[in-house]
Amino acid sequence: MSTIIDGKAFSANLRADLAKKVTILKDKHNITPGLAVILVGEDPASQVYVRSKGKQTAEAGMNSYEHKLDESTSQEDLLALIDKLNNDADVHGILVQLPLPKHIDEFTVINAVAAHKDVDGFHLSNVGLLSTGGEGIVPCTPLGSTMLLKDQLGNLSGKKAIVIGRSNIVGKPMLALLLKESCTVTIAHSRTQNLEDECRQADIVVAAVGIPEMVKGDWIKPGATVIDVGINRIEKEDGSTKLVGDVDFGTASEVAGAITPVPGGVGPMTIACLLHNAVQQACRINGIEMDDLA
Ligand code: GUN
């Protein structure tokens, strides 16, 4: 059996460390980091995420500003709110929850958030900085996944990694981060040929495709480290539902050296990394080195 990577415990430590940094920012610098979250519409999964983000932001001692807008909100009104938050000195981070209603252009909205207040790492300038090795803001889920990998394996240099999925939110930034760690990276997607063989070569497997339990145990090289980014709700035979990842945990955990569970693996890391990014932006806006807050 493999080691089960405990993302819940790791993220709790990360949040406790951030809460200490927030206390120092308040006491020494008179700054309370503020994170604004905008939710447009009623998407049930988004509502759950946004509630959780608000709760954990407050628990870390930060100010949480929630803006819930009607599904029919115009793009113009949404852009006006973003402009107001860009110019609000109490707000250090702005997150627009995705997906947005179809009448709103995601690209325009993402890039309307000031790059220095972007906590998702989706703004073009942060995407560019990540790809060129600069100091930007790194998307939360890939950042959390990389933290778990480094904690598990130490140095990743020279490891063979496969990222399954090429989304802008996870796959592509994950590729950039693993390259930065000097891994040899394959990025696989729906058109990849011999995916199972490609997967079997990898010391590190990151699954982010959104297909329930797609990656089976016999796709995994014995001893490999498996990071399951998927969160899929499936119906069981008795009609109840359960959460599963993109990896078939039952068979994969028989072969892998270490594996993240779903839930309790990558999921809790995402919000912890969001808080990390918000504190990071509050520090940068004020010319403070985040690592010096100890
Ligand atoms: N919707 C699902 N994941 C994310 C995320 O990481 N950031 C934002 N803004 N929306 C999301």
Side-chain angles (χ1 to χ4, degrees):
M1 273 298 280
S2 46
T3 300
I4 310 297
I5 300 173
D6 189 347
K8 211 169 155 185
F10 194 99
S11 65
N13 281 335
L14 195 59
R15 284 185 285 118
D17 183 55
L18 284 168
K20 281 189 204 150
K21 289 187 177 349
V22 170
T23 302
I24 298 169
L25 274 175
K26 286 179 178 173
D27 293 351
K28 274 203 189 155
H29 301 276
N30 202 23
I31 297 161
T32 304
L35 174 61
V37 174
I38 306 174
L39 173 64
V40 187
E42 310 276 318
D43 181 73
S46 293
Q47 284 177 329
V48 173
Y49 286 136
V50 167
R51 211 174 306 131
S52 226
K53 281 169 189 167
K55 185 168 167 273
Q56 294 191 27
T57 304
E59 279 170 6
M62 300 161 61
N63 285 330
S64 167
Y65 307 102
E66 276 183 25
H67 296 268
K68 292 189 176 161
L69 307 181
D70 197 81
E71 177 89 22
S72 64
T73 301
S74 68
Q75 179 164 315
E76 194 186 359
D77 285 352
L78 175 57
L79 293 175
L81 172 60
I82 292 171
D83 187 51
K84 196 171 126 220
L85 297 171
N86 281 341
N87 291 296
D88 183 339
D90 292 334
V91 173
H92 305 93
I94 303 169
L95 178 142
V96 183
Q97 184 67 28
L98 303 177
L100 288 165
K102 291 201 171 43
H103 64 279
I104 297 177
D105 182 57
E106 201 173 281
F107 181 87
T108 304
V109 168
I110 285 171
N111 289 293
V113 173
H116 66 278
K117 294 196 178 186
D118 170 25
V119 281
D120 266 322
F122 296 166
H123 189 284
L124 279 180
S125 109
N126 285 316
V127 174
L129 283 167
L130 178 61
S131 299
T132 53
E135 291 281 313
I137 279 289
V138 177
C140 304
T141 301
L143 178 59
S145 300
T146 307
M147 284 180 185
L148 293 179
L149 277 172
K150 286 169 81 167
D151 184 58
Q152 190 61 37
L153 295 171
N155 192 350
L156 307 184
S157 176
K159 303 252 182 239
K160 276 194 175 181
I162 187 165
V163 179
I164 311 176
R166 55 176 157 179
S167 70
N168 289 338
I169 295 182
V170 183
K172 287 177 200 157
M174 196 70 223
L175 163 69
L177 283 170
L178 290 169
L179 265 182
K180 214 169 165 178
E181 296 299 326
S182 300
C183 290
T184 302
V185 194
T186 298
I187 187 148
H189 45 77
S190 54
R191 302 289 171 91
T192 296
Q193 294 182 359
N194 304 322
L195 175 57
E196 300 175 30
D197 289 339
E198 293 287 349
C199 204
R200 261 181 229 116
Q201 318 261 328
D203 306 306
I204 294 169
V205 177
V206 179
V209 263
I211 301 176
E213 300 176 319
M214 184 181 89
V215 178
K216 308 295 181 199
D218 63 359
W219 297 24
I220 308 289
K221 175 172 161 178
T225 303
V226 178
I227 302 290
D228 189 351
V229 177
I231 303 177
N232 311 287
R233 188 167 288 282
I234 60 164
E235 197 165 321
K236 293 197 289 187
E237 277 166 15
D238 65 3
S240 63
T241 63
K242 68 166 181 172
L243 286 183
V244 298
D246 292 347
V247 177
D248 179 22
F249 187 84
T251 56
S253 61
E254 299 274 320
V255 188
I259 184 167
T260 59
V262 176
V266 174
M269 293 299 291
T270 298
I271 298 185
C273 288
L274 171 68
L275 303 182
H276 170 274
N277 284 351
V279 174
Q280 175 78 267
Q281 294 295 44
C283 287
R284 287 195 184 144
I285 287 168
N286 290 284
I288 295 163
E289 191 60 54
M290 188 168 163
D291 288 342
D292 291 346
L293 300 175

